[in-house]
Amino acid sequence: MTQLLNTYNRLPIAFTKGEGSWLIADNNQRYLDAIAGIAVVGLGHAHPNVCTAICEQANTLMHTSNIYQIPLQEALGSQLCDISGAEAAFLCNSGAEANEAALKIARLYGHQLGVEKPTIVVMDGAFHGRTLATLSASGSRKVQAGFEPLVSGFIRCPFNDIDALKTIINTNSSIVAVMVEPIQGEGGVRVADPDYLLQLREICNQQNWLLMLDEIQTGNGRTGKYFAYQHSTIMPDVLTTAKGLGNGFPIGACLAFEKAAPIFSPGNHGTTFGGNPLACRVGLSVINEINHTTFYQHVNAMSEQLMAALKNALQEETGVKNIRGQGLMIGIELDQPCGELVKMALDENLLINVTADKVIRLLPALTIQFEQIELLTKKLIPLVKQFLAKPV
Ligand SMILES: *Cc1c(COP(=O)(O)O)cnc(C)c1O
């Protein structure tokens, strides 16, 4: 028993050191990390340039306050805007906070249009965070159960289903925005159809709704572009990101594009810690590593290798329903709950994740190497076969 609130079922292991795609446990064993702190440590553990940025900045200046100018925050905001085409950024400390900012922008936007009870369309299976507003926006009863009354002002729609969204248009005149993940992460690595975002953009334009993309998990190089929406031709109105932006240092960002940028005024929103010099220096160092053609080429090459090996070995297996993903965000959907595989893999010194009960989720460091992908598949494939061969 620890004196920690009972919020996690933790695996019986603790790590003391990390090196790239490896974690070293307190038993001195090495574990191949195919989850990277749930898409956080994209550059691998203890990345030298990120470590240097942290140490130098911690030795210089960590925190002032948002009541002063913060040049490093301006620099990070401008980098994120250059990459995405956004007009302005709000820096915060987590994904949920980035989404809270987005939801507040949508509400203000609605009120500025004279909508009395602005309503935001959110998706089945979505995950947007654990604060009251973001859990209310999430599409999983597990996340919401016990926390009623939920925050109102959300209307739910099936993910990746434009026709369903079209039927909602006429049922509610208070809709002001749509919030969606380009690929649902916690929801089971569910990839939308290629033209889904395009159609969403079109509807949002027609209806004068904000299109708000939650790229907290899909951002920062994870899918082989800096942001997942960049695989399409559209631009969102609001975009949130976090996880990979700090490589383990807590940071989040809410980016506002043309239509959404003028909505906040001083006093509407704020944060004590968000955007401090240390966090922003770290974010800049992470972007400096990721935002190169050669980096994305590496992610895509590793993705192809991993996908091909998994599909080759598992696609025809009874019990494997689907292997899908983009970049290094990959899901293997089985026909049965498979949480047990996490422990089986741990026994083989491999760290994986299972989400939505039946989906093995792989989110390795984006810097993972060819030989490490080989080792990952060499360990994982027999485990999946062994698991599926077991009598139910
Ligand atoms: C992880 C995640 C969040 C929540 O981020 P926190 O930093 O845990 O608050 C929100 N949306 C998506 C898509 C996520 O993957």
Side-chain angles (χ1 to χ4, degrees):
M1 272 295 278
T2 63
Q3 283 194 295
L4 298 172
L5 282 176
N6 196 18
T7 52
Y8 280 90
N9 278 320
R10 294 170 196 270
L11 291 161
I13 189 160
F15 301 101
T16 51
K17 194 174 160 54
E19 296 166 357
S21 286
W22 292 100
L23 276 172
I24 295 115
D26 48 9
N27 58 12
N28 278 326
Q29 289 200 40
R30 289 165 71 81
Y31 292 78
L32 182 64
D33 185 2
I35 185 73
I38 316 188
V40 167
V41 193
L43 300 175
H45 300 283
H47 189 281
N49 294 348
V50 178
C51 294
T52 304
I54 292 171
C55 294
E56 280 183 10
Q57 194 59 41
N59 266 315
T60 309
L61 184 64
M62 286 208 280
H63 180 87
T64 55
S65 164
N66 282 309
I67 62 177
Y68 306 110
Q69 320 265 326
I70 304 177
L72 282 164
Q73 189 183 120
E74 289 169 25
L76 179 59
S78 118
Q79 282 270 306
L80 287 166
C81 288
D82 277 354
I83 290 171
S84 63
E87 297 277 314
F90 177 80
L91 277 307
C92 54
N93 313 291
S94 67
E97 279 176 78
N99 282 340
E100 286 278 342
L103 297 171
K104 285 178 72 175
I105 288 175
R107 288 230 175 150
L108 266 188
Y109 170 73
H111 286 294
Q112 287 171 9
L113 291 177
V115 179
E116 213 169 289
K117 291 187 174 162
T119 299
I120 300 164
V121 179
V122 289
M123 302 300 160
D124 282 338
F127 181 76
H128 296 301
R130 298 286 192 161
T131 61
L132 277 172
T134 58
L135 75 84
S136 302
S138 295
S140 139
R141 276 307 295 155
K142 258 194 199 164
V143 170
Q144 297 174 341
F147 299 107
E148 298 81 4
L150 300 180
V151 173
S152 61
F154 295 107
I155 183 166
R156 199 157 300 284
C157 178
F159 177 66
N160 196 23
D161 187 341
I162 283 293
D163 291 335
L165 182 63
K166 284 183 182 161
T167 65
I168 289 174
I169 295 175
N170 299 318
T171 65
N172 189 319
S173 58
S174 297
I175 297 172
V176 297
V178 176
M179 180 177 252
V180 61
E181 299 153 86
I183 300 174
Q184 290 191 334
E186 308 305 301
V189 193
R190 296 214 286 157
V191 187
D193 296 335
D195 56 353
Y196 182 58
L197 286 183
L198 221 77
Q199 292 173 306
L200 278 179
R201 181 68 273 177
E202 205 171 300
I203 289 177
C204 287
N205 288 349
Q206 282 164 7
Q207 303 297 322
N208 205 22
W209 298 345
L210 297 179
L211 176 57
M212 310 205 294
L213 298 182
D214 179 343
E215 293 234 26
I216 286 160
Q217 191 162 149
T218 53
N220 308 293
R222 179 52 56 187
T223 70
K225 300 252 185 200
Y226 197 89
F227 291 115
Y229 82 84
Q230 292 171 325
H231 292 283
S232 79
T233 52
I234 65 122
M235 300 253 263
D237 298 303
V238 176
L239 181 149
T240 55
T241 194
K243 291 195 167 83
L245 183 56
N247 209 48
F249 196 92
I251 182 168
C254 175
L255 308 183
F257 293 66
E258 211 176 343
K259 199 168 173 181
I263 291 171
F264 274 154
S265 311
N268 286 148
H269 199 46
T271 163
T272 295
F273 293 129
N276 76 29
L278 179 55
C280 293
R281 175 80 185 270
V282 177
L284 284 165
S285 75
V286 168
I287 291 174
N288 192 43
E289 297 299 320
I290 294 177
N291 197 24
H292 303 284
T293 312
T294 49
F295 189 91
Y296 301 124
Q297 281 167 348
H298 175 78
V299 174
N300 289 320
M302 293 302 102
S303 170
E304 275 169 33
Q305 187 198 342
L306 181 50
M307 276 295 224
L310 292 173
K311 284 190 170 169
N312 248 333
L314 293 174
Q315 194 158 247
E316 305 300 322
E317 202 77 9
T318 6
V320 176
K321 286 185 72 176
N322 193 2
I323 302 171
R324 57 181 178 249
Q326 194 165 29
L328 287 172
M329 181 170 184
I330 290 174
I332 307 165
E333 183 177 349
L334 304 187
D335 65 352
Q336 56 192 288
C338 59
E340 204 184 313
L341 263 167
V342 173
K343 272 198 172 147
M344 291 169 67
L346 186 65
D347 290 338
E348 299 292 324
N349 293 39
L350 172 66
L351 306 174
I352 60 166
N353 176 254
V354 166
T355 189
D357 288 334
K358 298 178 182 175
V359 182
I360 304 163
R361 180 170 50 162
L362 304 176
L363 297 162
L366 307 176
T367 52
I368 194 167
Q369 297 299 302
F370 182 82
E371 299 74 26
Q372 293 169 329
I373 297 268
E374 275 191 323
L375 183 61
L376 162 55
T377 52
K378 215 176 99 190
K379 282 176 184 276
L380 181 63
I381 288 163
L383 283 174
V384 176
K385 289 185 175 172
Q386 191 189 324
F387 173 80
L388 289 170
K390 270 191 205 164
V392 200

mmCIF file of all heavy atoms in Angstrom, residues 30 40 80 91 100 107 124 130 134 145 156 190 233 252 256 263 267 270 302 324:
data_model
loop_
_atom_site.group_PDB
_atom_site.id
_atom_site.type_symbol
_atom_site.label_atom_id
_atom_site.label_comp_id
_atom_site.label_asym_id
_atom_site.label_seq_id
_atom_site.Cartn_x
_atom_site.Cartn_y
_atom_site.Cartn_z
ATOM 1 N N ARG A 30 16.439 -4.467 -18.522
ATOM 2 C CA ARG A 30 16.134 -3.490 -19.575
ATOM 3 C C ARG A 30 14.825 -3.846 -20.274
ATOM 4 O O ARG A 30 14.593 -5.001 -20.609
ATOM 5 C CB ARG A 30 17.267 -3.467 -20.608
ATOM 6 C CG ARG A 30 18.547 -2.846 -20.075
ATOM 7 C CD ARG A 30 19.713 -3.174 -20.980
ATOM 8 N NE ARG A 30 19.642 -2.460 -22.252
ATOM 9 C CZ ARG A 30 20.038 -1.200 -22.410
ATOM 10 N NH1 ARG A 30 20.518 -0.517 -21.396
ATOM 11 N NH2 ARG A 30 19.960 -0.621 -23.594
ATOM 12 N N VAL A 40 4.220 10.378 -25.039
ATOM 13 C CA VAL A 40 4.809 11.601 -24.487
ATOM 14 C C VAL A 40 6.286 11.727 -24.870
ATOM 15 O O VAL A 40 6.729 12.768 -25.360
ATOM 16 C CB VAL A 40 4.634 11.631 -22.953
ATOM 17 C CG1 VAL A 40 5.507 12.711 -22.323
ATOM 18 C CG2 VAL A 40 3.165 11.845 -22.593
ATOM 19 N N LEU A 80 5.047 27.314 -33.100
ATOM 20 C CA LEU A 80 3.841 26.488 -33.274
ATOM 21 C C LEU A 80 2.933 27.076 -34.362
ATOM 22 O O LEU A 80 2.316 26.339 -35.126
ATOM 23 C CB LEU A 80 3.082 26.357 -31.946
ATOM 24 C CG LEU A 80 3.750 25.445 -30.906
ATOM 25 C CD1 LEU A 80 3.123 25.633 -29.525
ATOM 26 C CD2 LEU A 80 3.671 23.974 -31.326
ATOM 27 N N LEU A 91 -0.321 28.904 -24.016
ATOM 28 C CA LEU A 91 0.499 27.830 -23.458
ATOM 29 C C LEU A 91 0.002 27.451 -22.071
ATOM 30 O O LEU A 91 -0.325 28.330 -21.264
ATOM 31 C CB LEU A 91 1.973 28.274 -23.378
ATOM 32 C CG LEU A 91 2.825 28.140 -24.640
ATOM 33 C CD1 LEU A 91 2.756 26.722 -25.209
ATOM 34 C CD2 LEU A 91 2.448 29.131 -25.708
ATOM 35 N N GLU A 100 -9.572 22.674 -22.263
ATOM 36 C CA GLU A 100 -10.405 23.641 -21.521
ATOM 37 C C GLU A 100 -10.348 24.998 -22.211
ATOM 38 O O GLU A 100 -11.375 25.671 -22.356
ATOM 39 C CB GLU A 100 -9.909 23.797 -20.076
ATOM 40 C CG GLU A 100 -10.230 22.630 -19.159
ATOM 41 C CD GLU A 100 -11.646 22.680 -18.590
ATOM 42 O OE1 GLU A 100 -12.290 23.749 -18.614
ATOM 43 O OE2 GLU A 100 -12.108 21.621 -18.130
ATOM 44 N N ARG A 107 -17.226 28.604 -26.377
ATOM 45 C CA ARG A 107 -18.364 29.222 -25.667
ATOM 46 C C ARG A 107 -18.398 30.730 -25.882
ATOM 47 O O ARG A 107 -19.450 31.314 -26.153
ATOM 48 C CB ARG A 107 -18.270 28.897 -24.173
ATOM 49 C CG ARG A 107 -18.603 27.433 -23.893
ATOM 50 C CD ARG A 107 -19.605 27.365 -22.786
ATOM 51 N NE ARG A 107 -20.046 26.000 -22.550
ATOM 52 C CZ ARG A 107 -20.428 25.552 -21.361
ATOM 53 N NH1 ARG A 107 -20.374 26.359 -20.305
ATOM 54 N NH2 ARG A 107 -20.861 24.324 -21.218
ATOM 55 N N ASP A 124 -18.582 10.055 -30.154
ATOM 56 C CA ASP A 124 -18.564 8.770 -29.437
ATOM 57 C C ASP A 124 -17.117 8.280 -29.379
ATOM 58 O O ASP A 124 -16.388 8.387 -30.369
ATOM 59 C CB ASP A 124 -19.352 7.707 -30.232
ATOM 60 C CG ASP A 124 -20.858 7.866 -30.068
ATOM 61 O OD1 ASP A 124 -21.291 8.474 -29.084
ATOM 62 O OD2 ASP A 124 -21.583 7.366 -30.948
ATOM 63 N N ARG A 130 -9.624 14.736 -18.141
ATOM 64 C CA ARG A 130 -10.235 14.316 -16.869
ATOM 65 C C ARG A 130 -10.779 15.453 -16.035
ATOM 66 O O ARG A 130 -11.221 15.233 -14.901
ATOM 67 C CB ARG A 130 -9.168 13.572 -16.043
ATOM 68 C CG ARG A 130 -8.655 12.305 -16.701
ATOM 69 C CD ARG A 130 -9.680 11.214 -16.630
ATOM 70 N NE ARG A 130 -9.099 9.927 -16.994
ATOM 71 C CZ ARG A 130 -9.653 8.760 -16.665
ATOM 72 N NH1 ARG A 130 -10.774 8.734 -15.982
ATOM 73 N NH2 ARG A 130 -9.094 7.630 -17.036
ATOM 74 N N THR A 134 -13.753 18.523 -19.701
ATOM 75 C CA THR A 134 -13.186 17.615 -20.712
ATOM 76 C C THR A 134 -13.705 16.186 -20.541
ATOM 77 O O THR A 134 -13.841 15.469 -21.527
ATOM 78 C CB THR A 134 -11.646 17.645 -20.718
ATOM 79 O OG1 THR A 134 -11.143 17.290 -19.426
ATOM 80 C CG2 THR A 134 -11.116 19.015 -21.103
ATOM 81 N N ALA A 145 -18.640 8.190 -15.344
ATOM 82 C CA ALA A 145 -19.498 7.584 -14.325
ATOM 83 C C ALA A 145 -19.123 8.044 -12.922
ATOM 84 O O ALA A 145 -17.958 7.969 -12.524
ATOM 85 C CB ALA A 145 -19.425 6.064 -14.420
ATOM 86 N N ARG A 156 -23.605 14.700 -28.679
ATOM 87 C CA ARG A 156 -22.714 13.622 -29.113
ATOM 88 C C ARG A 156 -23.105 13.080 -30.478
ATOM 89 O O ARG A 156 -24.280 13.036 -30.838
ATOM 90 C CB ARG A 156 -22.743 12.490 -28.079
ATOM 91 C CG ARG A 156 -21.565 11.555 -28.178
ATOM 92 C CD ARG A 156 -21.317 10.840 -26.866
ATOM 93 N NE ARG A 156 -21.030 11.780 -25.793
ATOM 94 C CZ ARG A 156 -19.869 12.411 -25.634
ATOM 95 N NH1 ARG A 156 -18.879 12.209 -26.474
ATOM 96 N NH2 ARG A 156 -19.695 13.236 -24.625
ATOM 97 N N ARG A 190 -8.602 4.661 -33.480
ATOM 98 C CA ARG A 190 -9.579 4.657 -34.570
ATOM 99 C C ARG A 190 -9.227 5.767 -35.555
ATOM 100 O O ARG A 190 -9.200 6.944 -35.196
ATOM 101 C CB ARG A 190 -10.998 4.829 -34.020
ATOM 102 C CG ARG A 190 -11.386 3.634 -33.118
ATOM 103 C CD ARG A 190 -12.852 3.310 -33.228
ATOM 104 N NE ARG A 190 -13.686 4.269 -32.542
ATOM 105 C CZ ARG A 190 -14.974 4.486 -32.839
ATOM 106 N NH1 ARG A 190 -15.549 3.835 -33.838
ATOM 107 N NH2 ARG A 190 -15.676 5.357 -32.146
ATOM 108 N N THR A 233 -5.829 18.569 -46.482
ATOM 109 C CA THR A 233 -5.566 19.911 -47.019
ATOM 110 C C THR A 233 -6.236 20.988 -46.182
ATOM 111 O O THR A 233 -6.134 22.164 -46.494
ATOM 112 C CB THR A 233 -6.111 20.010 -48.459
ATOM 113 O OG1 THR A 233 -7.481 19.588 -48.442
ATOM 114 C CG2 THR A 233 -5.322 19.125 -49.396
ATOM 115 N N GLY A 252 1.326 22.093 -22.545
ATOM 116 C CA GLY A 252 0.238 21.959 -23.503
ATOM 117 C C GLY A 252 0.074 23.267 -24.245
ATOM 118 O O GLY A 252 0.592 24.305 -23.814
ATOM 119 N N ALA A 256 -4.978 28.978 -31.874
ATOM 120 C CA ALA A 256 -6.172 29.568 -32.476
ATOM 121 C C ALA A 256 -5.820 30.080 -33.862
ATOM 122 O O ALA A 256 -4.849 30.824 -34.032
ATOM 123 C CB ALA A 256 -6.698 30.699 -31.607
ATOM 124 N N ILE A 263 -10.827 35.937 -30.245
ATOM 125 C CA ILE A 263 -11.932 35.726 -29.305
ATOM 126 C C ILE A 263 -11.579 36.045 -27.851
ATOM 127 O O ILE A 263 -12.335 36.703 -27.144
ATOM 128 C CB ILE A 263 -12.495 34.296 -29.471
ATOM 129 C CG1 ILE A 263 -13.213 34.208 -30.833
ATOM 130 C CG2 ILE A 263 -13.453 33.936 -28.342
ATOM 131 C CD1 ILE A 263 -13.641 32.837 -31.233
ATOM 132 N N GLY A 267 -8.238 38.741 -19.207
ATOM 133 C CA GLY A 267 -9.228 38.474 -18.168
ATOM 134 C C GLY A 267 -10.092 37.261 -18.465
ATOM 135 O O GLY A 267 -10.681 36.677 -17.571
ATOM 136 N N GLY A 270 -6.486 32.281 -18.139
ATOM 137 C CA GLY A 270 -5.158 32.479 -17.583
ATOM 138 C C GLY A 270 -4.596 31.218 -16.974
ATOM 139 O O GLY A 270 -5.250 30.174 -16.962
ATOM 140 N N MET A 302 9.912 3.808 -40.159
ATOM 141 C CA MET A 302 9.729 2.888 -39.027
ATOM 142 C C MET A 302 8.280 2.387 -38.994
ATOM 143 O O MET A 302 8.024 1.219 -38.700
ATOM 144 C CB MET A 302 10.070 3.583 -37.708
ATOM 145 C CG MET A 302 11.532 3.959 -37.522
ATOM 146 S SD MET A 302 12.668 2.566 -37.627
ATOM 147 C CE MET A 302 13.317 2.774 -39.270
ATOM 148 N N ARG A 324 -4.217 -1.231 -37.643
ATOM 149 C CA ARG A 324 -4.410 0.091 -38.260
ATOM 150 C C ARG A 324 -3.569 1.147 -37.540
ATOM 151 O O ARG A 324 -3.010 0.898 -36.476
ATOM 152 C CB ARG A 324 -5.886 0.468 -38.192
ATOM 153 C CG ARG A 324 -6.398 0.458 -36.768
ATOM 154 C CD ARG A 324 -7.869 0.810 -36.646
ATOM 155 N NE ARG A 324 -8.287 0.732 -35.263
ATOM 156 C CZ ARG A 324 -9.111 -0.189 -34.777
ATOM 157 N NH1 ARG A 324 -9.618 -1.126 -35.546
ATOM 158 N NH2 ARG A 324 -9.423 -0.188 -33.494
#
